């Protein structure tokens, strides 16, 4: 997976609890992304980062926040998890910000009960 | 709302046949088009990109783009059981590299 790891790989949590997912890269790529994938929906962009401390919202950012204090790490936080946030979350990296240079991590399966 | 439409399938083809996967999109200003392969339980993997009208070939894969009809397709020749996966279409619509919409994917089953 092109030097991308995600942790945890699986998580079960309860409604209302905070959750943080971590994406770590060893490629030194500038761009990092968080997507979610749900049945009946395509991959949807949550947030992305174009550099340390530089982030922007994607299509489905409500209920999520992100932080990037180091080039290699991009954190996704659900401040108060809801059942609608049950999903598979993919991190991706890109050297130039284009899809043809983008690689996905292995994914995190999150279940909110 | 920028839309990308794909038939979810499954599309079943016999081994050795040509698999044809189709995708339509709503934004006429879209410039870049991508096909991903996703095996069950795995992450998406980019297999083809196409930017101009016509065909683009890479091994057994051919991407076809028709901007006038807002249609992009992926042909897989000599289909193998290892091609069984879900194929995602993605469209980079006007407004920047981050403006991307993915289709729901078409599940392909290659029958030995």
């Amino acid at each position: 997976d092109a030097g991308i790891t995600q942790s945890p790989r699986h998580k079960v949590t309860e409604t209302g609890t905070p959750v943080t997912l971590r994406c770590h890269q060893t490629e030194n790529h500038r761009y990092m992304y968080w997507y979610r994938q749900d049945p009946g929906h395509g991959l949807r962009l949550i947030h992305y980062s174009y550099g340390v401390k530089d982030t922007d919202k994607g299509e489905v950012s409500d209920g999520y926040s992100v932080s990037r204090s180091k080039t290699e790490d991009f954190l996704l936080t659900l401040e108060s998890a809801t059942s609608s946030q049950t999903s598979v979350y993919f991190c991706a990296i890109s050297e130039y910000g284009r899809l043809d240079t983008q690689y996905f991590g292995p994914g995190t399966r999150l279940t909110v009960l | 709302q920028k839309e990308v439409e794909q038939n979810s399938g499954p599309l079943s083809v016999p081994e050795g046949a040509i698999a044809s996967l189709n995708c339509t999109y709503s934004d006429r200003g879209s410039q870049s088009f991508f096909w991903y392969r996703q095996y069950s339980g795995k992450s998406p993997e980019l297999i083809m990109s196409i930017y101009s009208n016509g065909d683009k070939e890479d091994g057994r894969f051919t991407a076809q783009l028709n901007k006038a009809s807002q249609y992009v397709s992926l042909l897989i020749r000599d289909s193998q059981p290892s091609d069984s996966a879900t194929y995602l279409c993605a469209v980079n619509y006007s407004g920047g590299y981050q403006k991307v919409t993915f289709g729901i994917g078409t599940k392909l089953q290659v029958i030995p």
Side-chain angles (χ1 to χ4, degrees):
Chain A
D1 290 315
I4 312 170
T5 57
Q6 293 185 229
S7 59
R9 294 293 312 278
H10 301 271
K11 185 171 183 67
V12 179
T13 190
E14 294 188 350
T15 297
T17 60
V19 175
T20 296
L21 308 182
R22 180 182 183 235
C23 178
H24 179 79
Q25 62 149 326
T26 58
E27 305 295 324
N28 201 36
H29 284 349
R30 178 181 174 190
Y31 292 84
M32 298 185 76
Y33 309 79
W34 279 107
Y35 291 89
R36 62 179 289 176
Q37 188 174 37
D38 305 287
H41 294 273
L43 278 162
R44 291 180 290 175
L45 182 64
I46 304 170
H47 282 280
Y48 68 97
S49 170
Y50 47 96
V52 174
K53 298 193 188 307
D54 293 322
T55 64
D56 204 350
K57 296 179 179 180
E59 178 187 353
V60 289
S61 59
D62 287 348
Y64 301 95
S65 62
V66 291
S67 65
R68 191 170 179 198
S69 59
K70 298 185 290 184
T71 298
E72 58 266 35
D73 289 327
F74 192 32
L75 303 181
L76 177 71
T77 297
L78 291 64
E79 301 289 349
S80 177
T82 68
S83 58
S84 64
Q85 294 176 310
T86 293
S87 187
V88 178
Y89 291 86
F90 287 102
C91 174
I93 64 173
S94 170
E95 188 170 7
Y96 302 116
R98 303 192 319 255
L99 258 66
D100 58 358
T101 66
Q102 187 179 73
Y103 299 93
F104 285 87
T108 294
R109 182 173 295 276
L110 175 67
T111 302
V112 183
L113 301 176
Chain B
Q1 181 72 17
K2 313 298 184 184
E3 295 184 346
V4 174
E5 301 287 342
Q6 291 183 263
N7 188 318
S8 61
L11 172 67
S12 295
V13 300
E15 183 174 355
I18 296 176
S20 178
L21 304 162
N22 305 312
C23 172
T24 59
Y25 60 94
S26 64
D27 181 29
R28 274 198 182 275
S30 299
Q31 296 296 318
S32 308
F33 307 85
F34 306 89
W35 283 100
Y36 292 80
R37 178 177 60 201
Q38 186 174 25
Y39 293 113
S40 181
K42 302 295 185 182
S43 56
E45 171 193 14
L46 181 68
I47 55 172
M48 291 289 287
S49 56
I50 187 165
Y51 306 98
S52 54
N53 279 330
D55 295 358
K56 178 181 178 182
E57 186 174 318
D58 184 1
R60 296 186 296 112
F61 298 99
T62 299
Q64 299 177 315
L65 175 61
N66 184 327
K67 289 187 177 180
S69 299
Q70 296 175 238
Y71 178 94
V72 58
S73 63
L74 179 70
L75 302 179
I76 306 174
R77 290 183 301 281
D78 188 25
S79 296
Q80 300 297 308
S82 59
D83 295 325
S84 297
T86 296
Y87 290 80
L88 311 178
C89 173
V91 176
N92 187 184
Y93 56 91
S94 50
Y97 288 139
Q98 317 312 329
K99 305 298 183 184
V100 176
T101 299
F102 285 81
I104 63 173
T106 298
K107 185 173 184 178
L108 173 67
Q109 296 176 338
V110 181
I111 311 301

